[in-house]
Amino acid sequence: MSDRLFIFDTTLRDGEQVPGCQLNTVEKIQVAKQLEALGVDVIEAGFPISSPGDFNSVIEISKAVTWPTICALTRAVQKDIDVAAEALQFAKHKRIHTGIGTSDSHIKYKFNSNREEIIERAVAAVKYAKRYVEDVEFYAEDAGRTDNEYLARVVDAVVKAGATVVNIPDTTGYCLPQEFGAKIKYLMEHVDGLSAGKAILSTHCHNDLGMATANTIAGIMNGARQAEVTINGIGERAGNTSLEEVAMILKCHKGIDIDTNINTQKIYPTSRLVSSLMNMPVQPNKAIVGRNAFAHSSGIHQDGVLKNVQTYEIMDPKDVGIDDNAIVLTARSGRAALKHRLSVLGVELEGERLDATYQEFLKLADKKKEVNDDDILMLAGADRAAAHAIKLDYLQVTTGMGVKSVACIGLDIAGEKFEASASGNGPVDAAIKALKNIIKRHTVLKEFTIQAISKGSDDVGKVHMQVEYDGHVYYGFGANTDIVSASVEAYIDCINKFKK
Ligand code: KIV
Ligand code: ZN
């Protein structure tokens, strides 16, 4: 019988730490339910001591989700563990994930401590967490750069203290696959509690050198039985190992003989949902879920695929939930079709919210012939802007070759109307200058990304922005068939987040 790998999803914790990717509790519940449908074993729902928002999200996700274990992160600190236990009170299956840095640089510079004291603190944290829950996971932060012999002593001590899972993070993404695999092998061979089945090892790899998935697979092939992953590989800096890559590697490489509980046909809808809610575009060439992942453009490839799809495709797009025959929504599609498609994508809308989204859908379907999944996810999330105090009333821009662009803008600020105009070196410049003439704050545009039109000149353009104001950087998003309006919407999204 094949071995089982547990999938620990940390999209809502490590993934959500990414600047600009923050979700509110309702959105986190949506993602958590989709992860449950996808078949993940553990959902890391947050770091409860870090903020009231995280605390509340762990509570609400615990109530909303039935099968997966809900996990809460802590440092090896009693207060953190108390708060995590409280946040997990409604979880049907609960886990506390506690830990401490074990590399020499963490021990010296982060904790001003020594190896023996770190083992004592690790053991004390596990024992303390055990007072609240049976299932305790310990992480040895920066295990990737921790000396193997010392790491084995740490793992041995925490397993004896009652840890059920020991996480070996390559926190900095430094390890080579062979090195990481050897580390897991060394631990499997030198810690009795592991061979005795008292605990399992987990991988948690970061992608700084592009080796997160390779390291995770090396870890699995050497004995790790849990993999910590995120949807689309989002996470701190260059991100974490991506769930879809691990799940599909194990599905395609039957020789590894390790199974997961992932329903791979839910991979693509989950990827779209997370990307849309977090306003985090997926790079077109991203393995498994990128727009080009199954697109064959060269003549030789197209010819081969037409003769026999296996010549260039190692997996069936349908296996990851990409269905070319999926119903495309048009202006003639009814409310029920929209509701059904959203539900396939993990968004349940009813009543007034469904009506409002349907009205927006009809407007968009008037502007473009076919409305795709990204569009309707964007529409379903559009009511996030409804609560904004500052709203765009109208925007008029004249532009062209050899003339200066001029923009007139109207804003509604908490019910009061304002108008201004400005000229600029292009339509976006003119529109933003007109907007600034009303807002009158010193802002600096730090980043401005327009997601290029992908399927036709009538497609929806998506704009991501970072605006600096008063020492803080704010993230904004806008989407519109008119790219200038999308840019202004993104700027307004940022302004609405200003703290003063
Ligand atoms: O990367 C890391 O080491 C972590 C731990 C907190 C598990 O995210
Ligand atoms: Zn991490």
Side-chain angles (χ1 to χ4, degrees), residues 10 13-14 17 44 73-74 97 106 137 139-143 167 169-172 204-206 228 236-237 240:
T10 184
R13 199 279 296 169
D14 221 329
Q17 270 169 227
E44 189 162 48
L73 185 78
T74 80
H97 188 191
H106 276 230
E137 174 168 339
Y139 64 86
E141 195 177 8
D142 205 13
N167 180 8
D170 184 21
T171 305
T172 59
H204 177 112
C205 299
H206 279 269
E228 306 198 1
E236 284 274 272
R237 309 179 308 278
N240 289 57

Side-chain angles (χ1 to χ4, degrees), residues 165-204:
V165 181
V166 185
N167 180 8
I168 308 299
D170 184 21
T171 305
T172 59
Y174 176 76
C175 285
L176 292 167
Q178 200 187 14
E179 191 185 354
F180 191 73
K183 188 177 284 288
I184 298 292
K185 186 166 190 277
Y186 182 90
L187 296 174
M188 292 299 293
E189 285 171 355
H190 289 84
V191 179
D192 291 344
L194 296 175
S195 37
K198 292 208 164 73
I200 58 167
L201 289 183
S202 181
T203 62
H204 177 112

Side-chain angles (χ1 to χ4, degrees), residues 435-468:
L435 174 66
K436 283 174 141 185
N437 283 344
I438 301 178
I439 298 297
K440 294 198 173 65
R441 309 238 186 134
H442 181 69
T443 57
V444 181
L445 181 55
K446 302 290 283 184
E447 202 176 296
F448 176 28
T449 325
I450 300 182
Q451 225 181 324
I453 290 158
S454 60
K455 292 202 181 92
S457 56
D458 62 352
D459 205 358
V460 175
K462 299 175 185 87
V463 174
H464 295 261
M465 266 187 191
Q466 291 181 24
V467 171
E468 192 178 85

Side-chain angles (χ1 to χ4, degrees), residues 385-394 409-420 435 438-439 492 495-496:
H388 284 171
I390 304 171
K391 295 193 181 82
L392 178 63
D393 239 0
Y394 71 86
I409 196 167
L411 293 188
D412 178 318
I413 305 184
E416 221 181 311
K417 305 285 182 191
F418 296 85
E419 290 181 320
L435 174 66
I438 301 178
I439 298 297
I492 291 177
I495 295 171
N496 272 291

Side-chain angles (χ1 to χ4, degrees), residues 486-499:
S487 308
V488 169
E489 280 171 14
Y491 216 102
I492 291 177
D493 192 27
C494 290
I495 295 171
N496 272 291
K497 294 172 185 163
F498 287 178
K499 295 203 174 81

